[in-house]
Amino acid sequence: MLLLAAVVLCVEIQKKGEKSPGSSGYLIVDANGGLNQQRSAICNAVAVAGLLNAILVIPRFELNSVWRDPSQFGDIYDEEHFINNLRGYVNVVRELPEALMERYDQNISNIPNFRVQAWATVNYCLGVVLPILRDQRVIRIAPFANRLTMNVPSHIQLLRCITNYKALKFSPPISSLAEKLVSRMIERSSMTGGKYVSVHLRFEQDMVAFSCCVYEGGEAEKLKMDSFREQEWKGKFKRKDRVIVPALNRIEGKCPLTPVEVGLMLRGMGFDNNTSIYIASGKIYQAEKHLAPLREMFPLLYTKESLATPDELAPFEGHSSKLAALDYTVSLFSEVFVTTQGGNFPQFLMGHRRFLFNGHSKTIKPDKRKLVVLLQDMDISWKAFKDEMEVMLAESDRKGMMVPRVKKFNRKTSIYTYPLPECACLQSSNNSTFRLSEGANVLNSHHESTR
């Protein structure tokens, strides 16, 4: 019944698009943040365009001060695929018509920036944004991440599904190398039937600095991190109203897990040294020092840098979003995905894996507060630690299989993390954004934990 209702919705939305007599105008959005925050903005932009009956101009990407990636939409995603797969739902164009460009001296930046409140409601969009769009014929909204509530009509919600799982396909250079990395990862996992574990390890210098957590570097590390924070965030951490207590951050589970902590957790959960591990990460903070103990526990440890040749990676250097897209794809087809810190990357990835594998994708999301207490207990035995990790794993599995209740106009969870039931009809069409014949077959045929 659920699938049938979703299929009906697919037909319903196409009919709605066909009945639209004319557009209200053109919608321009500036997507901000990293790869998956931009992805959220793109999906929301399509949804807003559908809600307002607007023509969407290919989203522009802001140059983020942290990511510093100058890539634009066509560098990350296949533009032609995006436009074609939204045809019949939302009209998408690469640029404004000449008449409108002349009005703004051929410069989109001259179009006044309309500030939309975060998590804007449907009534706000229709009552405030739509009249301005109709009057001006073009509206520009920046920044655009999280500018639409999760509670929208079902046919608009489905636009997010179509965009995320059908229209957004990585560009050919990214898809080509990503496919090679997945294949190589499967080949190197022969002892476990081609199955591997991916770990999203957020232990880059910017994450360590931003968390304000203290590790083992002593005074020298503190001075380095203080300098880095000032350089990157200009006084944000020196405000009088900001109280920083590193020990409290750690107890509350806000500190990024170190590679060795992740290793201990996985070994405690039963993963042995024959397990193939893929590390999805930016540049690890003091990588040589911190990755060494993890590599001792898991000799079959790989990264995109170890799987690809220098020549293959050369075009991606300096483009953090392109590199993140490689990590995203390799993690997407892993047998088990381990998230250690939260953020847009794991939220989108967990949802994509739920969508791709009909909800049967294994994700380990540790209870960091409990884990910190156990790791700090110098008297705990290895057996007792393992027992606790097995309980934590079982609880993670239980929560991972939960499907939130979705009532009409009352979705409180992210559709990007929990895509069902609204996105169910797309599963039957085999139109996922990226499907490897070999990788998908391996994972679909035998989807059990790698131990």
Side-chain angles (χ1 to χ4, degrees):
M1 292 296 292
L2 191 62
L3 180 58
L4 178 61
V7 172
V8 171
L9 273 177
C10 281
V11 176
E12 175 190 338
I13 188 173
Q14 198 155 16
K15 287 181 178 178
K16 282 177 179 286
E18 291 170 353
K19 290 179 180 178
S20 301
S23 74
S24 305
Y26 292 85
L27 173 64
I28 298 173
V29 303
D30 288 9
N32 58 316
L35 176 72
N36 290 286
Q37 187 169 326
Q38 290 172 340
R39 192 181 187 106
S40 170
I42 295 165
C43 296
N44 288 341
V46 172
V48 170
L51 184 64
L52 303 180
N53 192 29
I55 297 172
L56 178 66
V57 179
I58 287 284
R60 310 187 324 156
F61 290 174
E62 290 185 351
L63 181 62
N64 185 273
S65 60
V66 175
W67 298 101
R68 297 188 179 92
D69 188 341
S71 299
Q72 285 301 313
F73 188 99
D75 300 311
I76 306 297
Y77 300 105
D78 186 326
E79 282 191 4
E80 198 68 31
H81 183 89
F82 183 73
I83 293 170
N84 290 339
N85 278 271
L86 287 174
R87 187 169 290 130
Y89 304 104
V90 169
N91 289 330
V92 181
V93 296
R94 287 185 170 86
E95 54 189 26
L96 285 176
E98 184 62 25
L100 279 175
M101 288 299 292
E102 286 181 0
R103 186 199 300 178
Y104 296 101
D105 296 329
Q106 305 295 326
N107 189 348
I108 284 180
S109 297
N110 290 335
I111 300 173
N113 182 20
F114 185 78
R115 291 281 179 177
V116 173
Q117 64 188 35
W119 305 109
T121 64
V122 169
N123 288 339
Y124 178 89
C125 291
L126 295 176
V128 177
V129 182
L130 182 57
I132 297 173
L133 176 63
R134 284 174 171 164
D135 180 59
Q136 298 295 321
R137 296 299 300 163
V138 60
I139 195 167
R140 174 173 168 241
I141 305 175
F144 196 77
N146 302 327
R147 286 305 183 268
L148 181 65
T149 179
M150 283 295 159
N151 300 325
V152 296
S154 298
H155 67 281
I156 298 300
Q157 196 74 284
L158 191 57
L159 283 175
R160 283 168 158 156
C161 301
I162 293 168
T163 305
N164 200 20
Y165 302 120
K166 186 176 179 182
L168 284 177
K169 175 184 177 183
F170 289 132
S171 64
I174 294 174
S175 295
S176 177
L177 182 54
E179 181 169 353
K180 292 177 183 177
L181 297 187
V182 173
S183 297
R184 290 168 192 173
M185 198 65 211
I186 291 171
E187 289 171 5
R188 285 160 173 75
S189 307
S190 58
M191 285 191 291
T192 50
K195 298 176 290 184
Y196 59 92
V197 176
S198 61
V199 178
H200 186 220
L201 186 58
R202 294 310 314 272
F203 202 68
E204 304 96 341
Q205 179 168 293
D206 62 312
M207 281 300 299
V208 174
F210 192 84
S211 71
C212 296
C213 297
V214 174
Y215 292 92
E216 298 176 358
E219 187 63 23
E221 181 180 87
K222 180 181 181 304
L223 292 173
K224 181 178 181 179
M225 289 301 166
D226 285 344
S227 175
F228 184 83
R229 280 190 284 268
E230 184 60 25
Q231 174 187 329
E232 296 297 319
W233 294 288
K234 307 298 180 188
K236 179 176 182 176
F237 293 89
K238 291 185 175 180
R239 295 200 308 257
K240 292 182 179 179
D241 61 336
R242 191 178 189 101
V243 179
I244 299 173
V245 185
L248 183 60
N249 287 351
R250 182 161 177 79
I251 291 172
E252 293 182 345
K254 295 179 180 179
C255 294
L257 293 178
T258 66
V260 70
E261 288 172 338
V262 172
L264 289 170
M265 177 187 76
L266 291 177
R267 289 302 292 267
M269 289 178 174
F271 296 90
D272 62 27
N273 59 7
N274 290 321
T275 304
S276 293
I277 303 279
Y278 179 82
I279 298 295
S281 174
K283 187 177 180 181
I284 298 294
Y285 174 59
Q286 296 184 350
E288 188 174 339
K289 169 187 174 182
H290 289 292
L291 283 179
L294 179 61
R295 200 177 298 277
E296 284 186 21
M297 285 184 270
F298 296 99
L300 302 178
L301 189 72
Y302 303 97
T303 63
K304 52 187 171 293
E305 290 80 9
S306 66
L307 291 173
T309 67
D311 287 344
E312 287 174 328
L313 275 183
F316 293 77
E317 294 301 331
H319 297 274
S320 59
S321 290
K322 291 182 179 180
L323 293 170
L326 297 177
D327 280 340
Y328 185 96
T329 307
V330 180
S331 299
L332 182 63
F333 288 96
S334 63
E335 175 70 11
V336 180
F337 172 62
V338 182
T339 174
T340 65
Q341 186 61 20
N344 288 301
F345 184 100
Q347 296 303 321
F348 265 80
L349 192 59
M350 285 189 288
H352 202 153
R353 284 165 56 81
R354 286 186 174 108
F355 171 82
L356 198 60
F357 304 115
N358 298 309
H360 303 293
S361 60
K362 189 175 183 65
T363 294
I364 296 176
K365 189 176 180 181
D367 182 340
K368 290 178 66 178
R369 290 185 177 184
K370 181 178 180 180
L371 184 60
V372 165
V373 173
L374 294 170
L375 290 171
Q376 288 180 334
D377 185 354
M378 296 295 100
D379 296 324
I380 191 171
S381 68
W382 179 243
K383 182 182 182 305
F385 181 78
K386 284 187 67 176
D387 290 343
E388 292 287 353
M389 289 301 97
E390 288 178 5
V391 171
M392 188 178 294
L393 179 60
E395 180 65 9
S396 178
D397 287 346
R398 185 187 71 81
K399 290 181 177 179
M401 293 300 292
M402 291 171 63
V403 177
R405 292 184 178 181
V406 179
K407 297 180 181 178
K408 191 174 183 180
F409 297 106
N410 192 31
R411 173 178 265 274
K412 296 180 180 180
T413 54
S414 169
I415 195 169
Y416 306 124
T417 307
Y418 298 98
L420 304 178
E422 293 96 327
C423 303
C425 69
L426 299 183
Q427 292 177 312
S428 61
S429 66
N430 291 321
N431 280 322
S432 60
T433 54
F434 190 92
R435 180 174 288 276
L436 298 171
S437 57
E438 182 180 7
N441 287 338
V442 168
L443 291 175
N444 283 327
S445 64
H446 193 60
H447 216 276
E448 297 177 357
S449 315
T450 305
R451 293 296 180 97

